[in-house]
């Protein structure tokens, strides 16, 4: 007997992020996996709220600075604060969350009444990355990074290679959720009609070499000589330049199309500008999980031993051959 058409459409229905997380949890068969999928789900709920606030920000007075400077010495935007509050509110009540760390908070937040269950997690995040794009309606993002935490080790920071989940949300023409649980990288697009993130295509694989670089070229004169030499080689080879000024938007392009994203050391920021724990590590792991490479210029980002929540690190990530060419140029100078 022929299968009714309605059953076929149910079977081929696109997978939502919730179903994807449930499937991952079933495959792992552990209480820890259950907590982890709930935590990622909390991040996704918060980012839907952030996306909604961003859509109307030019109409409801949510743009502009709030007159406070964060621990990085940067002016906080109203939406930085709103995004941070939405993430903390969603995460601090989830089972298994014992520590939160945010770009917008000076210190780690230890969740005192955490229901610890079988597994305990730290969630580190940049609530609104690229916030200098807000006032012009440009793309911005949220980045998150999750670790397991041993009892009594709540204040200890771990190297990026110990992450158990990481991802970002790009708020652009679409709201796009990209994540890894350590078995490849998957992409989901928010369907605004139903409010679900829906899986888009196959797991992402970054091309071995790209045709563009993404760096703030206005700083070129103060980059170490190896970066200048590498960029000259790229130009000679016909590369294009693409730079949105929001790491999430720039890394998303590199992830899909290949190439290299960099924030090198500069005279003003000798250790680079980007933060290890909630920018470089999660983005670096995603790129590695898609088959690319993520380097400080001297070695793998994910091996860096963290000393503080807000520490900065030089970042170069993207197509494997492009990152290798940069490392060779740096080693030769
Ligand atoms: P933010 O998290 O305070 O927004 O800062 C990080 C951003 C990155 O998204 C982006 O790659 C970089 O800063 C841009 O810096 P610059 O304006 O120096 O090029
Ligand atoms: Mg940022």
């Amino acid at each position: 007997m022929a299968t009714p058409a309605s059953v076929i459409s149910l079977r081929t229905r696109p997978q939502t992020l919730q179903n994807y997380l449930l499937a991952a949890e079933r495959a792992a068969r552990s209480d820890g996996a259950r907590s982890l999928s709930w935590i990622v789900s909390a991040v996704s709920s918060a980012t839907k709220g952030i996306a909604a606030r961003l859509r109307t920000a030019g109409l409801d007075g949510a743009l502009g600075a709030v007159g406070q400077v964060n621990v990085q010495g940067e002016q906080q935007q109203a939406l930085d604060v709103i995004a941070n509050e939405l993430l903390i509110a969603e995460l601090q009540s989830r089972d298994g969350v014992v520590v939160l760390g945010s770009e917008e908070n000076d210190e780690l937040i230890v969740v005192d009444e955490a229901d610890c269950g079988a597994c305990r997690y730290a969630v580190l995040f940049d609530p609104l990355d690229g916030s200098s794009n807000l006032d012009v309606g440009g793309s911005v993002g949220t980045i998150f990074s999750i670790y397991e935490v041993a009892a009594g080790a709540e204040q200890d920071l771990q190297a990026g290679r110990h992450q158990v989940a990481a991802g970002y949300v790009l708020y652009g023409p679409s709201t796009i959720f990209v994540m890894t649980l350590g078995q490849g990288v998957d992409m989901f697009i928010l369907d605004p009609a139903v409010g679900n993130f829906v899986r888009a295509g196959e797991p992402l694989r970054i091309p071995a070499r790209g045709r563009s670089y993404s760096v703030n070229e206005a700083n070129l004169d103060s980059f170490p000589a190896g970066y200048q030499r590498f960029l000259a080689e790229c130009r000679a080879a016909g590369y294009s330049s693409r730079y949105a000024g929001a790491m999430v938007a720039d890394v998303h392009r590199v992830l899909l199309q290949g190439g290299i994203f960099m924030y090198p050391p500069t005279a003003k920021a000798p250790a680079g500008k980007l933060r290890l724990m909630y920018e470089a590590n999660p983005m670096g792991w995603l790129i590695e999980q898609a088959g690319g490479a993520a380097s400080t210029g001297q070695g793998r980002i994910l091996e860096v031993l963290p000393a503080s929540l807000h520490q900065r690190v030089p970042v170069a990530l993207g197509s494997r051959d492009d990152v290798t060419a940069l490392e060779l140029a740096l080693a030769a100078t």
Side-chain angles (χ1 to χ4, degrees):
M1 197 172 74
T3 311
S6 59
V7 175
I8 292 172
S9 69
L10 270 179
R11 281 189 192 146
T12 55
R13 198 168 53 182
Q15 189 180 30
T16 64
L17 177 62
Q18 297 308 321
N19 285 339
Y20 171 91
L21 291 170
L22 279 173
E25 176 188 314
R26 279 194 207 104
R29 290 169 177 272
S30 74
D31 290 349
R34 183 162 311 127
S35 302
L36 184 58
S37 62
W38 271 100
I39 293 167
V40 175
S41 167
V43 173
S44 81
S45 297
T47 61
K48 287 181 208 172
I50 296 169
R53 293 305 304 264
L54 286 169
R55 266 197 298 278
T56 56
L59 302 172
D60 61 12
L63 290 180
V66 288
Q68 287 167 199
V69 172
N70 68 12
V71 66
Q72 332 280 332
E74 298 159 349
Q75 277 283 342
Q76 280 184 315
Q77 303 290 305
L79 280 160
D80 285 326
V81 177
I82 291 169
N84 195 38
E85 287 175 354
L86 283 167
L87 280 156
I88 292 173
E90 282 286 347
L91 284 164
Q92 69 184 355
S93 56
R94 290 282 165 140
D95 287 359
V97 175
V98 295
V99 186
L100 297 173
S102 166
E103 177 177 327
E104 301 303 333
N105 292 85
D106 297 5
E107 308 286 345
L108 289 167
I109 304 166
V110 177
V111 183
D112 288 335
E113 305 91 43
D115 179 353
C116 293
C119 260
R120 310 153 52 83
Y121 293 98
V123 188
L124 309 180
F125 49 87
D126 179 353
L128 210 48
D129 178 65
S131 40
S132 69
N133 279 0
L134 284 170
D135 286 345
V136 296
S139 292
V140 291
T142 295
I143 310 173
F144 67 94
S145 168
I146 305 181
Y147 295 80
E148 277 186 40
V149 180
E154 289 78 9
Q155 299 284 352
D156 297 349
L157 298 169
Q158 302 174 57
R161 66 190 167 85
H162 297 297
Q163 292 171 101
V164 294
Y168 63 78
V169 178
L170 171 62
Y171 309 103
S174 308
T175 302
I176 300 178
F177 192 105
V178 175
M179 67 166 293
T180 183
L181 293 168
Q183 294 181 338
V185 179
D186 286 290
M187 177 165 80
F188 303 82
I189 297 176
L190 184 63
D191 179 346
V194 289
N196 280 335
F197 281 106
V198 177
R199 188 164 175 183
E202 296 299 308
L204 301 180
R205 298 301 295 170
I206 185 168
R209 182 174 279 279
R211 300 291 302 156
S212 68
Y213 60 77
S214 186
V215 68
N216 187 340
E217 226 161 354
N219 297 327
L220 183 69
D221 290 346
S222 78
F223 292 161
Y227 288 94
Q228 297 191 24
R229 177 196 292 198
F230 169 73
L231 287 166
E233 285 169 10
C234 289
R235 285 192 294 273
Y239 276 46
S240 282
S241 163
R242 291 284 183 274
Y243 194 66
M247 185 189 198
V248 171
D250 286 318
V251 173
H252 186 67
R253 183 189 316 100
V254 167
L255 188 59
L256 265 57
Q257 298 186 337
I260 186 166
F261 167 86
M262 290 179 285
Y263 208 108
T266 63
K268 199 171 134 201
K273 177 184 179 187
L274 299 176
R275 275 56 56 114
L276 174 65
M277 297 308 295
Y278 42 79
E279 293 177 325
N281 274 336
M283 293 309 228
W285 195 36
L286 283 164
I287 290 284
E288 284 192 0
Q289 282 290 314
S295 172
T296 64
Q298 320 297 324
R300 192 179 174 217
I301 289 173
L302 269 60
E303 300 290 343
V304 175
L305 291 177
S308 67
L309 174 60
H310 301 291
Q311 96 182 57
R312 297 173 195 261
V313 67
V315 169
L317 46 79
S319 291
R320 196 191 53 230
D321 293 354
D322 289 312
V323 174
T324 302
L326 170 67
E327 287 179 328
L328 288 172
L330 291 174
T333 52

